[in-house]
Amino acid sequence: MKQYFLAPRTIERRGSFRRALYLKTGFLGAGLAAAAALATPTRAQTVAAPATTVPNPASSPATPPGAAAVPAAAAAPAPPATWASTITWGLQGDAGIQGNGDRPADGLNYGRLFDDKANTVLLNQIQATVTRPINSSATGYDFGFTLQGTFGTDARYLHYDGEFDELTTNSRYQFTVLQANALMHAPWLTAGGIDFKLGQFVTPIGYETIDPSTNPFYSHSYIFNFGPFQHTGLLAEWHVNPTLDLYGQIDTGESTTFDGGDNNGEPAGLFGIGLNNLAGGKLTLLALTHLGPENPTISVPNANSEMRYESDFIATYKATSKLTLVTELNYQHDDAFGADSYGAAQYISYALSPTWTANGRAELYRDNAGFFVFAYPGDLDSIRALKGLPNGSFTAGRATYSEFTAGLTYKPTVPHVALLAFRPEIRWDKSFSGTPAYDAGTQTGNFTFGGDVILGF
């Protein structure tokens, strides 16, 4: 989530965005757009047909002596699953608290978004989802969709500009549509085909996700907090072969929609590559870059010609059945303000048992102009910053941040419950540059402890 409240200033024009986008992305042009362009970043799982029940001979009545054995009647084949029968729905809640022994005067855990309120119980999300996933391995066409909305404190940072503005109230608890898209698998070009996603969707960039159930911790990395969250547009993934996936996307930018819902007048795009099944199936690599104007024209007059580049690289190595290592590297640049950020995070997860997992994260994040890392104390500060309107957001300025987080994930099996997870954690944030970013701008370091509970049906 970026800040945009800075006052307008005269900026040297660096050329048309459209020309830059076409030159830099190549396959985002008409060729791939017409042939198969842009791809979906997440492969949906195939919904299996109900298994056929076969009688157990040991439980059948004994054959009378001397009687000929009568062959068991063959079980009727299960009818194929209908498209409608593969639609699923889910309801998931997430609530937590992040204790801060400094008791900061402004009540904020600086450098955080979703867990930014210190010593306060937060109902982060009540998330409702209706979806019909597609089968990325299908030999023919397959169609699906996703509708997802969320209510809670996380929604303060997840609004699309210009969408449901009347529901964006001055309250800590808000509602937003998170995803609304159509899905299609097309058997084009190669055996693996191309997966498409059209509409509104969460970004494919980054290791951590908005959905808490797929993250190792309650708190998020700097890389996640101050990168893109959502897009409106067309996304696609071309499965060239079992090892190689190519990604492409065209969209309206970060957390924007169309016309009055876009804070500038130019499109954005994404391209990248995924490598699967390396090192004997243990290693996967994903490199994606999103680029386009992101600043609002209200505060940056030349915003339409000022590019922002966001690149992310993830290496996931499944060392053993219990040990997983993930390395994430991130770089961002904003032309309008000459700002750069550099991030690196290392994750380690070890399955202690079927229900317990130990997790660790170490991160270093450099914000060289005090442009990317911001705090939003007001409930509407984030969406007002996105629009380029006056707001109360603030930054600690140029700094090199670090955080070290350790925690446990406990997932017991509970009847009639799809997911129950507890994630306690401890975290130490430190400004290596000596910037007093924490405890209302009085400390260079900050210790927090807390966690959350996730319940899904």
Side-chain angles (χ1 to χ4, degrees):
M1 176 60 62
K2 308 300 186 300
Q3 59 82 20
Y4 307 94
F5 82 104
L6 298 179
R9 62 185 179 92
T10 302
I11 300 169
E12 179 184 359
R13 180 173 293 272
R14 291 174 172 80
S16 165
F17 165 71
R18 289 189 176 90
R19 182 171 66 253
L21 178 60
Y22 297 151
L23 290 176
K24 290 178 181 294
T25 62
F27 64 83
L28 292 180
L32 185 56
L38 322 168
T40 186
T42 303
R43 298 192 187 184
Q45 296 180 347
T46 307
V47 178
T52 302
T53 302
V54 179
N56 181 359
S59 63
S60 303
T63 302
V70 179
T82 63
W83 187 89
S85 69
T86 57
I87 296 174
T88 63
W89 67 273
L91 188 65
Q92 178 177 278
D94 178 38
I97 184 172
Q98 204 63 267
N100 189 326
D102 291 336
R103 298 185 179 275
D106 57 8
L108 296 176
N109 295 317
Y110 185 80
R112 320 284 188 88
L113 293 184
F114 292 2
D115 59 333
D116 58 349
K117 304 299 183 183
N119 306 309
T120 303
V121 175
L122 300 175
L123 175 58
N124 293 91
Q125 294 185 19
I126 297 178
Q127 187 179 97
T129 306
V130 180
T131 184
R132 196 282 178 180
I134 56 173
N135 178 9
S136 294
S137 301
T139 57
Y141 290 91
D142 196 18
F143 300 90
F145 69 92
T146 300
L147 295 175
Q148 189 175 63
T150 186
F151 171 82
T153 59
D154 290 357
R156 293 171 295 154
Y157 300 106
L158 301 175
H159 292 289
Y160 290 93
D161 185 14
E163 186 171 280
F164 299 108
D165 282 351
E166 65 278 6
L167 299 179
T168 309
T169 59
N170 191 15
S171 168
R172 185 174 299 174
Y173 291 92
Q174 299 175 18
F175 170 81
T176 190
V177 171
L178 193 59
Q179 298 195 83
N181 53 69
L183 309 172
M184 181 179 78
H185 172 79
W188 296 347
L189 302 181
T190 59
I194 304 173
D195 296 337
F196 294 91
K197 181 179 291 187
L198 176 65
Q200 296 182 321
F201 43 84
V202 297
T203 185
I205 289 180
Y207 174 64
E208 296 188 15
T209 63
I210 294 171
D211 183 348
S213 68
T214 56
N215 293 318
F217 299 104
Y218 176 43
S219 69
H220 283 287
S221 66
Y222 286 87
I223 292 174
F224 170 86
N225 280 327
F226 304 106
F229 286 156
Q230 304 134 283
H231 307 290
T232 301
L234 175 65
L235 228 143
E237 180 182 357
W238 178 17
H239 309 300
V240 180
N241 56 49
T243 300
L244 176 63
D245 293 326
L246 294 179
Y247 294 80
Q249 173 178 313
I250 189 164
D251 58 73
T252 61
E254 298 176 16
S255 302
T256 57
T257 54
F258 296 101
D259 297 325
D262 193 354
N263 56 10
N264 58 61
E266 292 286 346
L270 174 147
F271 64 95
I273 183 172
L275 297 176
N276 313 298
N277 306 310
L278 304 177
K282 294 184 177 182
L283 177 65
T284 60
L285 305 176
L286 178 64
L288 300 173
T289 293
H290 186 265
L291 70 163
E294 296 295 346
N295 292 296
T297 53
I298 290 178
S299 57
V300 182
N302 294 334
N304 287 338
S305 61
E306 302 296 343
M307 300 280 285
R308 184 178 300 169
Y309 306 88
E310 297 160 317
S311 297
D312 193 83
F313 169 80
I314 303 169
T316 303
Y317 183 65
K318 186 73 173 177
T320 69
S321 61
K322 295 184 177 182
L323 177 63
T324 302
L325 304 171
V326 177
T327 301
E328 182 173 16
L329 304 176
N330 185 274
Y331 169 72
Q332 299 182 100
H333 172 78
D334 188 272
D335 279 345
F337 295 92
D340 297 278
S341 71
Y342 311 84
Q346 179 63 52
Y347 299 80
I348 180 170
S349 295
Y350 188 83
L352 302 171
S353 73
T355 55
W356 286 95
T357 302
N359 300 301
R361 179 181 61 205
E363 180 185 18
L364 191 66
Y365 188 92
R366 170 66 176 171
D367 183 1
N368 77 340
F371 177 80
F372 292 97
V373 179
F374 262 68
Y376 303 87
D379 297 322
L380 298 180
D381 283 343
S382 176
I383 187 63
R384 290 182 66 84
L386 178 65
K387 294 175 179 290
L389 301 175
N391 61 90
S393 61
F394 65 91
T395 178
R398 180 180 301 180
T400 300
Y401 302 96
S402 68
E403 57 91 7
F404 305 89
T405 308
L408 294 169
T409 299
Y410 175 55
K411 293 183 178 180
T413 300
V414 180
H416 311 299
V417 172
L419 172 66
L420 177 61
F422 301 88
R423 298 186 299 177
E425 69 170 54
I426 57 174
R427 171 167 168 160
W428 171 251
D429 287 74
K430 176 67 177 179
S431 170
F432 280 157
S433 56
T435 305
Y438 310 102
D439 192 12
T442 64
Q443 303 289 334
T444 60
N446 183 226
F447 174 76
T448 58
F449 56 95
D452 65 340
V453 179
I454 306 170
L455 180 62
F457 299 91

